[in-house]
Amino acid sequence: MKFNNRNIQIGRNVQLGTNVRIGDNCIIYDNVQIGDNSIITNDCVIGEPTGRYYHDENYINPATIIGANSMIRSHAIIYAGSVFGEGLMTGHRITVREGANFGINCLISTLADIQGNSNFGDYCRLYSNVHICEFSQLGNHVFVYPYTIFTNDPLPPSNHYKGPTIGDYTIVAVHSVVLPGVKIGENCLIGANSVVSRDIPDFSFAVGSPAKVQRDIRTISSKEAAGNHYPWMHRFERGMPWENIGFDNWVKK
Amino acid sequence: MKFNNRNIQIGRNVQLGTNVRIGDNCIIYDNVQIGDNSIITNDCVIGEPTGRYYHDENYINPATIIGANSMIRSHAIIYAGSVFGEGLMTGHRITVREGANFGINCLISTLADIQGNSNFGDYCRLYSNVHICEFSQLGNHVFVYPYTIFTNDPLPPSNHYKGPTIGDYTIVAVHSVVLPGVKIGENCLIGANSVVSRDIPDFSFAVGSPAKVQRDIRTISSKEAAGNHYPWMHRFERGMPWENIGFDNWVKK
Amino acid sequence: MKFNNRNIQIGRNVQLGTNVRIGDNCIIYDNVQIGDNSIITNDCVIGEPTGRYYHDENYINPATIIGANSMIRSHAIIYAGSVFGEGLMTGHRITVREGANFGINCLISTLADIQGNSNFGDYCRLYSNVHICEFSQLGNHVFVYPYTIFTNDPLPPSNHYKGPTIGDYTIVAVHSVVLPGVKIGENCLIGANSVVSRDIPDFSFAVGSPAKVQRDIRTISSKEAAGNHYPWMHRFERGMPWENIGFDNWVKK
């Protein structure tokens, strides 16, 4: 029952790579490019136009680029004007607004709400129902766990937006809030249900509301093996570029 | 590729104003009224019937009224028996249950879940993924930021529902919980991640779990200009009725 | 306008009981069984295949079983390989992954995200936007209120998953987090916005971050009548098997 080409609509100047498959009831708007071997499952909207589309006869839909080998699960809404490196993987019902730039091999899970005008490095994992505000800057290998929110308005409502900045390899656990303009360094762990209101230095484990640095993450014992768990790259490799070769060997490359 | 009239279903006694446009795959149930110049984008359901529809042959769908100049983004589900003043603007995948009454120019953002049997004044802004319980009462110009929840059952589970009441111009920041029956006054600011368990007087800045009044909001400095930021109506006017004329002039009118 | 059989797709070896109704734009994949008198409303996906479906020509979709007298509201995505006892009731846009086993008469509300490989007893109520992680174990009559998250990774990211376990008749209030491997006993009440980081004994009222036991729930007064509110089964019977006969009589049966 795969790919019956039922009720699909494809706009103008859509470029589909070889072996791209589009599910039923999908809408692909103008100026979308989808890389080779990608799969768009049912009921997705790719290249959703911004509001001006409905009012301006001269509206031109910005280019949307989905890299090769991507897999977009059903009911995604991806706005025009976003760019995704190869190997994008999504859950269901994601929403990504315009101006989001993603590196390669990123994951965006079910119900994640990416507000656009933000940058994401390679291998980021945005889990279920995260909300990433405009003007956020995420490094590489950043993991944001479910229901975490990034915010950008320090005195709501205002016109003074400043998104958070998150360093490489940092983990933000579930149900946390990162306040406007906060910088979290590299290799940090933010504990569940935290509110991060101040900058956090590299290699910190911080938790609480407001989040306070508790210790150096390099002192947290593993629960799976002897030694410490963080930096996690020596303990976890599923889906990471160092899978099967180890982090140290990958870094040397 | 706008408005191809593909796979649209329109029930009985549906009244569409002049220049109303309906997107593909939409379902408009019986007794829906949509005001002039409104846009319903793809995959929306307007006038969703309540459970009795499926079991009772004599079921009559309650009237649903969407005011003029509204813009409903894709995948909305709006139940029969709700009323929206003109200028409604929505994000994607909103859900609004029966018996919700909205004033004019309200915003309901992506994934917001409005449980119905509630009242909302004019120019309310309900941001992404808020959850507003039944029997809530919101004044005018109330802003509720992402992932905030209003609750109505003081001893769950019980049959003793009491929704929150929120005064005009009050701002509830992200990731907060307002407990059953709580009254938040006018011109308040509730800080991020608060749990509001007691009534909050007018002009308070309250934060924490449980939320405690910290100070008068009129003493909070602006980050954008000299002077104080609150009441915010002198600092923020985008989309508000005092845009371009200033709050003081608007009040005098 | 009910059930027009528009744009429906039905896979191979789908077994529909008598009087089953399927809404427009639904997709029912291979090897789905739906019990008598069930209603699947519009835009649902039942038996969603796992990722291997798209890459493996020999993929066989696991069986999906929906019990009799179920009502699945629109835009549900239910993966292949889950089993639901009779009387399942859902809100809109639920997502249930593979390997979820539900008892009879469960409720899964709007936007709930059930990650699969979990067990749920009879008469569980999972309210709006809850997130239940893999390897969770819920007893009978467990109520999980909106935006509560269950987690299973104690040192994220790791490979050491342990889901929470929740005893019969326990209530977890809104916006709470239950940490990996935590056991909450029977007849507990977890207050709003808690983070449950340690095991909680039977009959406890616990609240806070981290959640601490405050008192025996049997000492909490009712707000509706003389006496105490908990155990709640004497105070609340809507939709429960003791409705109209009383809990004590039902237990004796």
Side-chain angles (χ1 to χ4, degrees), chain A residues 16-20 34-38 66-70:
Chain A
L16 304 180
T18 60
N19 198 27
V20 166
I34 302 179
D36 296 349
N37 306 310
S38 288
I66 311 277
N69 302 308
S70 292

Side-chain angles (χ1 to χ4, degrees), chain A:
Chain A
M1 208 169 78
K2 287 175 210 184
F3 303 108
N4 305 292
N5 294 313
R6 277 173 67 135
N7 196 29
I8 294 174
Q9 296 189 56
I10 308 274
R12 285 169 301 183
N13 188 32
V14 168
Q15 297 174 46
L16 304 180
T18 60
N19 198 27
V20 166
R21 290 174 284 176
I22 308 284
D24 301 335
N25 306 317
C26 282
I27 305 177
I28 314 290
Y29 282 95
D30 294 355
N31 306 316
V32 168
Q33 244 175 279
I34 302 179
D36 296 349
N37 306 310
S38 288
I39 300 174
I40 313 296
T41 69
N42 301 322
D43 298 289
C44 289
V45 180
I46 312 292
E48 171 90 10
T50 58
R52 210 158 48 74
Y53 169 79
Y54 298 101
H55 301 293
D56 179 354
E57 291 202 356
N58 298 313
Y59 175 84
I60 296 174
N61 213 30
T64 308
I65 301 174
I66 311 277
N69 302 308
S70 292
M71 167 75 174
I72 300 183
R73 290 186 193 276
S74 68
H75 290 90
I77 300 173
I78 293 178
Y79 270 68
S82 282
V83 175
F84 302 85
E86 61 172 44
L88 171 68
M89 176 80 65
T90 87
H92 302 279
R93 296 185 236 277
I94 68 160
T95 311
V96 181
R97 293 289 305 269
E98 61 274 21
N101 293 295
F102 279 85
I104 62 169
N105 292 305
C106 287
L107 171 72
I108 306 175
S109 292
T110 293
L111 287 170
D113 179 10
I114 313 300
Q115 293 281 297
N117 295 319
S118 289
N119 294 307
F120 301 83
D122 296 337
Y123 292 88
C124 283
R125 292 192 174 182
L126 310 176
Y127 286 103
S128 293
N129 227 324
V130 300
H131 177 89
I132 308 293
C133 64
E134 282 191 284
F135 315 119
S136 297
Q137 305 292 332
L138 281 78
N140 300 308
H141 310 281
V142 171
F143 286 41
V144 185
Y145 280 86
Y147 291 68
T148 283
I149 307 181
F150 286 16
T151 66
N152 60 18
D153 186 351
L155 287 178
S158 81
N159 301 298
H160 190 77
Y161 295 154
K162 290 175 68 176
T165 300
I166 315 290
D168 294 351
Y169 305 112
T170 281
I171 307 295
V172 184
V174 297
H175 221 247
S176 293
V177 177
V178 183
L179 290 180
V182 165
K183 289 191 172 65
I184 303 178
E186 298 187 356
N187 277 296
C188 290
L189 171 65
I190 307 299
N193 210 38
S194 295
V195 176
V196 189
S197 58
R198 298 203 181 164
D199 292 356
I200 303 289
D202 294 351
F203 290 103
S204 301
F205 166 49
V207 68
S209 173
K212 288 180 184 157
V213 176
Q214 307 292 318
R215 56 200 284 194
D216 188 303
I217 66 159
R218 290 166 292 194
T219 67
I220 299 176
S221 303
S222 172
K223 299 196 177 183
E224 299 171 290
N228 293 329
H229 188 74
Y230 298 96
W232 56 269
M233 297 81 77
H234 301 95
R235 297 292 180 189
F236 185 88
E237 55 180 42
R238 185 160 17 95
M240 294 293 120
W242 54 86
E243 190 165 3
N244 299 321
I245 59 171
F247 182 68
D248 292 336
N249 289 320
W250 175 75
V251 165
K252 282 183 208 146
K253 287 208 302 192

Side-chain angles (χ1 to χ4, degrees), chain C residues 60 70 86 122 134 146 158 171-172 199 238 251:
Chain C
I60 295 174
S70 292
E86 62 173 43
D122 296 336
E134 281 191 285
S158 81
I171 307 295
V172 184
D199 292 357
R238 187 162 14 97
V251 166

Side-chain angles (χ1 to χ4, degrees), chain B residues 9 53 75 79 94 129, chain C residues 2 4 24 92-93 129 147:
Chain B
Q9 296 190 55
Y53 169 79
H75 291 88
Y79 270 68
I94 68 160
N129 227 323
Chain C
K2 287 175 210 184
N4 305 292
D24 301 334
H92 302 279
R93 298 185 235 277
N129 227 324
Y147 291 68

Side-chain angles (χ1 to χ4, degrees), chain C residues 49-69:
Chain C
T50 58
R52 211 158 48 74
Y53 169 81
Y54 297 101
H55 301 293
D56 179 354
E57 290 202 357
N58 298 313
Y59 175 84
I60 295 174
N61 214 31
T64 308
I65 301 174
I66 311 277
N69 302 308

Side-chain angles (χ1 to χ4, degrees), chain B residues 1 4 12 18 35 89 92 111 124 129-130 170 187 191 224 229 232 234 238:
Chain B
M1 207 169 79
N4 304 292
R12 285 168 301 182
T18 60
M89 176 81 65
H92 302 280
L111 288 170
C124 283
N129 227 323
V130 300
T170 280
N187 278 295
E224 299 171 289
H229 188 74
W232 57 268
H234 300 97
R238 186 160 17 96

